[in-house]
Structures are given as C-alpha cells and as structure tokens.
Amino acid sequence: MTQLVIIVIYLLLLLGVGALANHWFRGDSQDYMLASRTIGPFFLLMSLFGTTMTAFALVGSTNKAFAAGVGVYGMLASASGIIHSLCFFLIGIKMWSFGKKFGFTTQIEFFRARLENDFIGLLLFPVLIGLIIPYLLIGVISSGGLVFQVTDGLVPAWAASLVVCLVVMTYVFFGGMRGTAWANALQTMFFMAMGVITFVLIAKELGGKDTLWESMRAASETVLQNNPTQLARTKLPPPVYFSFLLIPLSVAMFPHVFQHWLTARNANAFKLPIIAHPIFIMVVWLPCVMIGVWASGYQGLLTAEIPADRVLASLVHQLASPMLGGLLAAGILAAIMSSLDSQFLCLGTMLTNDIVNHYHRGERISERKEVLIARSFIVAVVAVTYLLSLVAPPAIFSMGIWCFSGFAGLFPLALAAVYWKRLTAAGAIACVLAVAAAWAVMFAQSDFGADSHYAFPQDPVSLGVATLPPMMPVVALVALSAATLVIVSLITRPPSQETLDKFFE
Amino acid sequence: MKYLFWPLLALLIVLHQDYWQWDDATLRFGFLPQALAYHACLSIAAAVFWAWACRFCWPLDGEPAKGQLAKGGGRSEAASSATASSSTSEEAPS
C-alpha cells in the first residue's frame, strides 16, 4: 500500500506540471510542438537525457550486469556517452539551425526540403512510425507490469498501464512540448536520485559494514571470492561488444529527439547537453551495474531461476523498506514516462504536420485548429498504443534492440543530409528501402526477435586476409545503408544549386 | 585545433575497445572492478573531450537568421519548399 501511495503522489505531481505548463501556453502550434524554441541548456539537457534513457537504464542495466558482469557498462553506457554526444554535436546542432532558419518542426519536413522530394516523406513516415511503436509498447506494458509487481497484484497491470497512459496523455495534451520538457526535467532528476539512493542502501545492506565505503569493499570482495568472472568480461564476445558501439547512433534518427533538438533557444543551449551527457550516463548506469554484479556474488540471495527482469525489484523487496520500494518504482516509472511523453507528442506532431498540413489544400489551417488537430492525434495515438499493449505478444520485449538497430541503420542518411552535398533523393530513397528490406529479412531470420543471439553473419566469413566474425545486425545495416546511399547518389543527378545554396552556404 | 577533432574522437573510440584488459578482475580502491574504473574514467574523458570540442570545433559560426519560411510558424511552407524554385533569400548559418 505504501508503494501505491507513493506512485499516486508522483503521478499527481506530473499532472501538476502539465497544468503549470498549460498556464504558460501561448496558443499557437509552434508553442505547442516546439515550446516556441525557447528551451534553455538545463531543460534541453534534461529532456534529451530523459528521452534517450528508458527504464532499461535502471532495471535493464542491473539485470544485464547480474547475468553478464561488469562489461555491460562499457558495452551499453560508456559507448552511449561518446556516441550520443557525437550525434548531438554533429547532427543535432545543424538540424536545429535548419529548423530555425526554415521553420521545420519534423524530420520529414527537413528531408523533403533537403532532398527536393515529396516521396521521401511518404517512405520515411511508415518506417519511423513502425520502428517507434514497439518502443512505445514496451514502455506501456513495462509500466503496468511494474505497478502490478510492487503492489503485489493489488493493481492489475492493464489498469496501471491505463493510468500511466492517461497521466502522460494529460500533461502532453495540455502542456505540449513545454509540459513535456518540464516533466522530463522532473522525471530525470527523480530517476537519477532514486538510482543513487538505491545503490547506497543496497550496498550497505549487502556489505553489512558500518560505513558505505567498507560495505562496498566487502560486497566486491564477496564477488571476487564467489563469482570472479563477473568482475571481468569473459562472458562478452569482443565482436558483440564492438557491435554495440553502433546502436547509440540511433538517436540521430529518433524523430522525438529531433523534435527536442528544435526546441533549443539557441545553438549554445546544446553545449551543456553535449558535455554533461556522458557524466549523466555514468551517474545512472555505474551504480546500477555495480548492484547487479554484487547481487551475482551472493549465493542464495537471488536464485538462478529469477526472471531476468526482476533482479532489481527482488533486491529492493528483500533488502529495503516499502518506502524505498515505492520510491524506486516511481523512479522506474519516471524513466519510462520521460520517453513515452516525447514519443506521443512527436507522433501527434508528425501526423499533424507531415500528413494533414502537408496534404491539406485550400485555405490555410488556423493556428488554433492546428493545435486542436495535434491534440486529437495525441489522444488517438495514446488510445491505439494502449489497445495494442493489451494484445501485444510477450515477444515485443525482444524488439527493443531491433528498433534501435533500425534507427541506427538510417544514421548515414542523417549524416549525409547535413554534410554531403552530393546526396540525392534517389540515394536517400534507396538507402531507406535497403535498410527496411535488410531489417525485415534479418528480423524474420531471428525468428522475429525470439533468437536473442542472432548475429550477422551467422558464422565467421573468411575474407582472405581477415575473418569477419558474427556481429549484431546493426553493423550490417549501417554498412549496407552507407554503401547504398553513396553508390546510388553518385550515379544519379545531383540536387539543384538552389537547394545546395540554401543548406550549405 | 579543429584538425584534432577526428583524431581525438578516433582515439576515444579505440580506447573504448579495451580488449587488452578483457580478463582483468582487479578491484581498484578495494571495491571498483578494473573494467568499471576504466570506463568511468573514459566517460569523464568523453565529457572533457566534448567540452574541448564545444570550445574549439563548434560546428556553427554563428546563430542562423530566421528565414522567410519560418515566418508565421513556417509549418507547411517548409515542406512545400521542397519542390519550389528557390527564390528564398534566407541567410545560411554564417
């Protein structure tokens, strides 16, 4: 019951943020979708970090470290610290400048203008939406499962998911991008704080010494004695470790991240997010990975049969008070919702701008009506997502890495659109088609995500002087995408000089 | 300084692939596994690198001017400019 009360208080707090943001709403579509491009460095940092970190940062990192050891940090966290900032620096700032200069709100508007081609929008739209929907479903289903678990079944998962969807929808509906950015800031601070507090309390309980320092040493010594392989990386094949370096490239093509970039007040607002992102990742991931590694060293603490997604929850249940359990659950919900809100807003914005506005003929849609359309789409997107979450198969969870791989496969397109004058519409279309086709084939070969060890190539391939080892599919997707884009662009007619002058002068 | 951007970034990525200490299970400060200590330092190094890059390799020379297409919200005009003969005279990012 304590846990439920804490979760309810947290959700009410979020509704309050939405109401406050609505008070500041100026009534026009640019304010609703982009907060009138007034977001400063702090809120941009919090929005981008909260949006790119899902519940996996808190729960998945602990679970994965429990199973695979300390290498999880390097494979997933420090790689993201370098690559996410690289995407913000190389692509985000440029996209922001084009957005401000030409008034873009969505990625598709940018690509249509940059490539002088309408079809690229029609092609990208279903691809981007198709890749983002499983990501949304994972968040909605996880939130229901979490509340069901921490309340010992008092709240059914379907009801908890419904409440989470309604809360997120409410503050996005009323607060728009400003409400989303403010809620993201609150949620990011909350889940970061919860991660650190959980770490301190579990470390003291596991180590059992008087001070935190001594307890941490005792916990690590126990792992060294009972399960030393967890302190090295022998369970992680180096080619897989390398492959994961490419997964964070996905942020360059996330439509919701693009929308956050465009909210920046000025280019300087990017500096804090770029610099602080690796540190923020370290603050969240390092304690969670340590907890997972320590838990694996205490025989009898957690059984080998424990479900892979229950390690952190079980530890908190055994070692901490119901109060901490409730706070941690709220922290995990915060991590989930800080991604869901941006994605709901982004899909509503894309449907409004890329479909309704773009294909609307006749008198221009008024600002007021445009906001109404965006809000209606947000309600529809939330409703469809929730209904899909009720019938989605459990295999949906294995799609997370596939969604990220698909977005990462489109990274060469984002990079070339910003820096390569010779990129053509045909090159971009061929690139998207090649990625979509290769993704679909590999996904089917992996038994639709069920084979979590699926690699491409599936066996080592001898290239004469070297051997290509089995790697994550993302490597093949990025390589194919880049090769297709370059080859087709070079054999097709270059873009017009006017367009090049607009984007490269 | 700009010419150092790509070599330093490449160095950061090479340092990330630290296969030479794959089996090292040493505890630093008595509690922190070597792999974690190393990668925590790498995260800090990444932040320092990005601070340097923001100072010396900033990809824009100045703030872009708001162009004609941005006026009035600029929603659909931006997209329709895709095929428009560009008589627009927006400033490029300087």
Side-chain angles (χ1 to χ4, degrees):
Chain A
M1 196 62 185
T2 308
Q3 293 96 323
L4 184 59
V5 170
I6 292 170
I7 290 169
V8 169
I9 291 171
Y10 182 72
L11 294 178
L12 289 173
L13 195 62
L14 285 175
L15 291 176
V17 171
L20 193 65
N22 186 52
H23 179 71
W24 288 73
F25 178 44
R26 298 175 187 175
D28 61 89
S29 63
Q30 286 291 288
D31 196 59
Y32 190 73
M33 295 168 186
L34 297 176
S36 297
R37 305 179 201 266
T38 56
I39 299 295
F42 174 75
F43 281 104
L44 190 63
L45 164 67
M46 290 304 191
S47 301
L48 288 172
F49 186 72
T51 301
T52 51
M53 291 293 120
T54 61
F56 192 84
L58 285 179
V59 185
S61 54
T62 308
N63 300 335
K64 199 87 175 153
F66 180 76
V70 295
V72 168
Y73 181 84
M75 186 169 76
L76 297 169
S78 68
S80 297
I82 299 168
I83 304 296
H84 284 179
S85 290
L86 176 69
C87 292
F88 301 162
F89 185 85
L90 280 186
I91 298 175
I93 296 169
K94 286 278 191 183
M95 292 290 192
W96 168 83
S97 76
F98 295 141
K100 181 176 178 186
K101 190 176 159 195
F102 301 122
F104 300 137
T105 305
T106 67
Q107 253 173 336
I108 286 175
E109 285 177 334
F110 163 74
F111 282 112
R112 276 176 168 153
R114 166 68 182 86
L115 298 168
E116 307 169 303
N117 186 283
D118 202 50
F119 178 69
I120 187 73
L122 280 179
L123 182 63
L124 270 177
F125 190 84
V127 170
L128 295 176
I129 296 223
L131 287 173
I132 216 165
I133 281 180
Y135 193 175
L136 272 171
L137 290 176
I138 291 169
V140 172
I141 297 169
S142 303
S143 62
L146 175 78
V147 176
F148 176 78
Q149 195 185 342
V150 298
T151 59
D152 290 327
L154 185 66
V155 181
W158 66 265
S161 288
L162 179 63
V163 170
V164 166
C165 280
L166 288 174
V167 168
V168 175
M169 186 191 78
T170 305
Y171 73 75
V172 173
F173 184 95
F174 288 107
M177 178 52 89
R178 188 172 288 103
T180 302
W182 289 359
N184 273 349
L186 173 74
Q187 315 223 65
T188 303
M189 287 189 284
F190 191 73
F191 77 69
M192 288 178 80
M194 283 308 110
V196 173
I197 290 169
T198 304
F199 169 76
V200 171
L201 292 177
I202 288 183
K204 288 200 77 172
E205 287 295 323
L206 279 177
K209 303 289 182 187
D210 293 335
T211 65
L212 175 63
W213 185 264
E214 288 173 348
S215 295
M216 290 194 301
R217 292 175 72 123
S220 292
E221 282 295 336
T222 305
V223 181
L224 192 60
Q225 286 167 15
N226 297 338
N227 201 356
T229 54
Q230 289 291 88
L231 301 174
R233 281 171 283 183
T234 45
K235 291 180 183 171
L236 294 177
V240 172
Y241 184 87
F242 166 76
S243 308
F244 266 92
L245 189 62
L246 301 187
I247 294 283
L249 292 173
S250 51
V251 301
M253 275 303 287
F254 281 160
H256 47 292
V257 168
F258 179 93
Q259 198 170 348
H260 276 294
W261 285 339
L262 264 50
T263 65
R265 181 194 303 157
N266 52 36
N268 283 334
F270 278 85
K271 288 180 179 173
L272 184 61
I274 289 167
I275 296 165
H277 198 81
I279 302 293
F280 270 39
I281 287 182
M282 183 177 73
V283 169
V284 171
W285 278 75
L286 203 133
C288 293
V289 169
M290 278 306 307
I291 290 173
V293 170
W294 283 335
S296 67
Y298 284 80
Q299 286 154 358
L301 179 66
L302 297 175
T303 60
E305 293 80 33
I306 192 167
D309 59 343
R310 299 276 171 86
V311 174
L312 186 60
S314 299
L315 281 172
V316 171
H317 192 64
Q318 287 186 53
L319 302 173
S321 63
M323 170 80 93
L324 179 68
L327 287 170
L328 182 67
I332 296 168
L333 280 181
I336 294 172
M337 290 189 291
S338 64
S339 299
L340 282 181
D341 53 13
S342 304
Q343 291 161 341
F344 285 145
L345 178 65
C346 174
L347 292 183
T349 304
M350 285 169 70
L351 285 161
T352 306
N353 274 29
D354 299 332
I355 303 295
V356 177
N357 270 342
H358 187 72
Y359 292 105
H360 173 75
R361 295 288 174 262
E363 201 174 312
R364 185 188 162 131
I365 300 172
S366 70
E367 289 287 332
R368 194 185 165 92
K369 197 170 176 188
E370 199 172 324
V371 173
L372 184 67
I373 292 170
R375 283 177 160 164
S376 306
F377 275 130
I378 287 166
V379 173
V381 166
V382 174
V384 170
T385 305
Y386 175 70
L387 292 174
L388 283 176
S389 78
L390 297 178
V391 295
I396 192 80
F397 284 91
S398 61
M399 282 195 71
I401 193 74
W402 283 95
C403 293
F404 281 72
S405 299
F407 280 116
L410 295 172
F411 169 80
L413 174 61
L415 186 69
V418 172
Y419 289 101
W420 194 39
K421 291 182 181 179
R422 194 61 182 75
L423 172 69
T424 66
I429 290 167
C431 163
V432 176
L433 288 173
V435 169
W439 186 94
V441 168
M442 287 194 279
F443 186 58
Q445 283 183 344
S446 74
D447 198 11
F448 298 96
D451 179 5
S452 60
H453 297 294
Y454 176 80
F456 187 89
Q458 288 172 311
D459 297 303
V461 175
S462 176
L463 300 173
V465 288
T467 301
L468 189 66
M471 288 188 280
M472 299 283 291
V474 67
V475 179
L477 286 173
V478 172
L480 175 71
S481 164
T484 309
L485 183 144
V486 170
I487 293 168
V488 177
S489 290
L490 288 177
I491 59 173
T492 49
R493 199 177 63 176
S496 72
Q497 194 57 46
E498 290 110 328
T499 295
L500 293 180
D501 289 344
K502 280 167 64 181
F503 286 92
F504 291 96
E505 213 171 29
Chain B
M1 296 291 258
K2 277 192 174 183
Y3 62 88
L4 283 176
F5 177 83
W6 290 107
L8 285 176
L9 180 67
L11 177 65
L12 212 52
I13 288 170
V14 168
L15 289 175
H16 179 268
Q17 304 293 308
D18 56 332
Y19 305 128
W20 61 89
Q21 51 182 356
W22 216 245
D23 302 327
D24 192 342
T26 311
L27 291 176
R28 300 288 167 199
F29 312 110
F31 77 95
L32 194 58
Q34 167 63 20
L36 272 186
Y38 175 85
H39 277 277
C41 291
L42 197 69
S43 294
I44 294 167
V48 171
F49 167 75
W50 288 117
W52 171 83
C54 285
R55 173 77 179 80
F56 296 106
C57 312
W58 193 240
L60 294 182
D61 291 331
E63 295 287 317
K66 216 176 179 182
Q68 287 179 351
L69 294 174
K71 287 174 188 168
R75 295 109 39 221
S76 50
E77 295 91 328
S80 63
S81 75
T83 50
S85 62
S86 182
S87 58
T88 52
S89 56
E90 301 85 2
E91 287 176 34
S94 53

